[in-house]
Amino acid sequence: MSQPMVAVLRPDDSRIVEAVEYLQSLDVSPVPDPMLAITPTDQVPQHADYCIFTSETGVDLAATAGWEQRETTVCAVGDQTATALRSRGYAVDIVPSTFTSTGLVDELSADVEGQTVELARSAHGSDVLAEGLEAAGAIVSETHLYRLERPETAGQSVTLAGDGELDGILFTSPKTVEHFVQTATERDAVAALQPGLEETVVGAIGAPTERALNKYEIAVDVIPDTVDFTQLAEVTVRRILEIQQ
């Protein structure tokens, strides 16, 4: 039996390299098709009573820009972001038990009335954090540390999916979904995607990514319990092998 072919759409940095290596360790034939390129804004997070980081990328850019924690209560959405903060020498005070924006709002809502809260993240974050914290009485500001662009090389996964050649495809954020569909639209390949993806195991990290796929009427087959890429890869490959048996 030939190895399953699985497309992965992670950013065009070390993450796509690590994703390919991990998929190979699962005896999968990876199709790396980065749908995101990180464009830093060179901005530095403002100082506030609370500072919230939502990604490893944001942490790395803030640290490179020289952000200092001082007396700020630092919050991380997820263990991977928390690990990135600690590796950069920051103390992590709060990690919500549910690794989502809603989970963090629930965690902070009783404590932030009248407090300043800084959101240090990409230019594409959802409104859930800001609106939820403001509703709890916080004074919210936001610094966009980077933008997510679509690489010019993106699109191999669109072609393979339309031809029904993919066994699986891994979506890791709403933006990867948006760029995937944009690429298909530009190639006039949207109509071919639906039947092709019906034969493909579609894996998605988190509820926001699932909602983005549902918006474009792409059915999601597997969602891991955490926002960890390795688990996404594992559950998707497991489903593929179950189908092939």
Side-chain angles (χ1 to χ4, degrees):
M1 183 184 297
S2 60
Q3 290 184 327
M5 186 179 294
V6 178
V8 56
L9 315 181
R10 301 209 82 187
D12 64 345
D13 52 24
S14 62
R15 282 170 288 187
I16 195 73
V17 176
E18 292 166 0
V20 165
E21 291 174 350
Y22 192 73
L23 286 168
Q24 289 171 334
S25 77
L26 299 177
D27 292 326
V28 163
S29 178
V31 178
D33 190 17
M35 285 286 165
L36 298 176
I38 309 297
T39 304
T41 62
D42 298 324
Q43 295 189 54
V44 183
Q46 302 177 49
H47 284 286
D49 298 314
Y50 291 79
C51 187
I52 296 172
F53 290 92
T54 62
S55 70
E56 298 171 70
T57 300
V59 172
D60 291 341
L61 291 173
T64 301
W67 184 74
E68 297 178 359
Q69 184 170 4
R70 299 179 188 172
E71 300 300 316
T72 298
T73 297
V74 169
C75 310
V77 178
D79 281 339
Q80 290 175 307
T81 304
T83 298
L85 283 159
R86 294 186 183 107
S87 71
R88 288 288 197 163
Y90 300 114
V92 180
D93 301 292
I94 298 172
V95 181
S97 53
T98 303
F99 296 165
T100 64
S101 296
T102 302
L104 186 57
V105 170
D106 291 343
E107 195 97 8
L108 295 179
S109 58
D111 303 313
V112 294
E113 184 173 0
Q115 301 288 296
T116 55
V117 180
E118 166 76 346
L119 307 181
R121 59 182 186 174
S122 81
H124 314 283
S126 75
D127 295 330
V128 172
L129 268 177
E131 291 178 354
L133 293 169
E134 286 173 349
I139 303 160
V140 179
S141 59
E142 183 167 358
T143 297
H144 295 156
L145 300 175
Y146 59 99
R147 295 186 302 277
L148 299 170
E149 311 288 350
R150 180 167 50 126
E152 293 180 2
T153 56
Q156 184 183 9
S157 61
V158 172
T159 300
L160 291 172
D163 291 341
E165 295 184 20
L166 289 180
D167 296 293
I169 184 167
L170 307 177
F171 291 94
T172 53
S173 71
K175 209 67 180 173
T176 60
V177 177
E178 181 181 322
H179 288 173
F180 178 83
V181 175
Q182 282 178 357
T183 303
T185 302
E186 290 172 6
R187 296 181 177 191
D188 199 24
V190 174
L193 274 182
Q194 289 302 122
L197 287 174
E198 285 176 5
E199 304 300 319
T200 303
V201 176
V202 176
I205 282 184
T209 306
E210 181 186 21
R211 286 194 295 270
L213 286 160
N214 290 339
K215 173 184 174 184
Y216 295 109
E217 299 183 347
I218 298 173
V220 177
D221 299 296
V222 293
I223 302 177
D225 295 331
T226 71
V227 293
D228 181 59
F229 173 79
T230 59
Q231 192 183 19
L232 172 67
E234 288 169 8
V235 296
T236 302
V237 171
R238 191 180 308 133
R239 178 66 64 85
I240 291 169
L241 296 177
E242 289 172 355
I243 293 171
Q244 292 182 344
Q245 285 179 351

